[in-house]
Amino acid sequence: MIVILMGVSGCGKSTVGEALAKAWQRPFFDGDDYHPPENVAKMAAGLPLADADRAPWLASLRQLIDEHLAAGQDAVLATSALKASYRQTLGCHLPNVLLVHLHGSYDQILQRMAQRNHFMPPALLQSQFDTLEPPTDALVLDLARPVTTLVLDILAELNRRSSDAVV
């Protein structure tokens, strides 16, 4: 199973992903680590990415997902996956992929972004919300809840899915 944590920048994908990976004892991959230097520089300069900028990045993430699925290895991936087309590219529709949308308000996330050191400036948050096409096929979790609670919710869904697969 691949768990993909999605949402706008600053919603807690990496924090929840790392905690989930530790509790589930699986590897964690941060989609930000797969951005080419040009994308990082563009975002750091306050410029939102275009679909053409994202295409090679999404392809590298899909390769990572496919490699783990082919090897029968579970993993946790944090990535924005803001548009339905991006999620299609990533394979979020596959039965052995669990999509988790960390959802919160603009104000909640802006406050979080102001407290962190990241290449994505808070000034780009509105562009993230403008791009977001909320998924209809995801486990939607409120980012205001404690990280440990979010992790337990995801683990419960993974357990439910593994039970359903056995039946």
Side-chain angles (χ1 to χ4, degrees):
M1 180 70 70
I2 305 296
V3 176
I4 298 178
L5 294 155
M6 65 145 300
V8 299
S9 184
C11 72
K13 297 179 297 288
S14 298
T15 301
V16 174
E18 289 172 350
L20 173 62
K22 183 177 180 182
W24 194 29
Q25 299 180 344
R26 302 301 194 275
F28 170 73
F29 300 94
D30 193 326
D32 286 345
D33 296 339
Y34 292 81
H35 273 295
E38 302 81 26
N39 284 8
V40 174
K42 191 171 183 178
M43 289 182 282
L47 301 170
L49 297 179
D51 285 353
D53 299 318
R54 288 186 179 96
W57 171 66
L58 290 168
S60 67
L61 295 178
R62 178 60 187 258
Q63 181 178 351
L64 176 73
I65 291 165
D66 287 346
E67 288 170 358
H68 278 79
L69 290 175
Q73 298 172 339
D74 300 324
V76 179
L77 171 65
T79 185
S80 54
L82 297 176
K83 288 186 178 181
S85 61
Y86 306 162
R87 296 188 292 272
Q88 181 70 27
T89 298
L90 293 172
C92 293
H93 59 284
L94 298 171
N96 44 0
V97 173
L98 170 61
L99 181 64
V100 179
H101 180 198
L102 296 177
H103 174 73
S105 73
Y106 177 88
D107 291 335
Q108 285 174 307
I109 297 170
L110 184 63
Q111 182 179 13
R112 286 176 172 220
M113 289 181 81
Q115 298 171 354
R116 69 181 191 160
N117 182 19
H118 191 268
F119 64 80
M120 178 70 126
L124 287 180
L125 181 58
Q126 188 59 55
S127 73
Q128 294 262 299
F129 271 92
D130 292 345
T131 302
L132 177 63
E133 297 171 357
T136 57
D137 56 349
L139 175 62
V140 179
L141 299 177
D142 182 348
L143 62 82
R145 296 171 64 221
V147 171
T148 53
T149 303
L150 297 173
V151 167
L152 290 172
D153 288 346
I154 297 166
L155 290 172
E157 179 65 15
L158 288 168
N159 285 335
R160 185 191 69 75
R161 285 179 177 225
S162 68
S163 296
D164 288 349
V166 174
V167 175

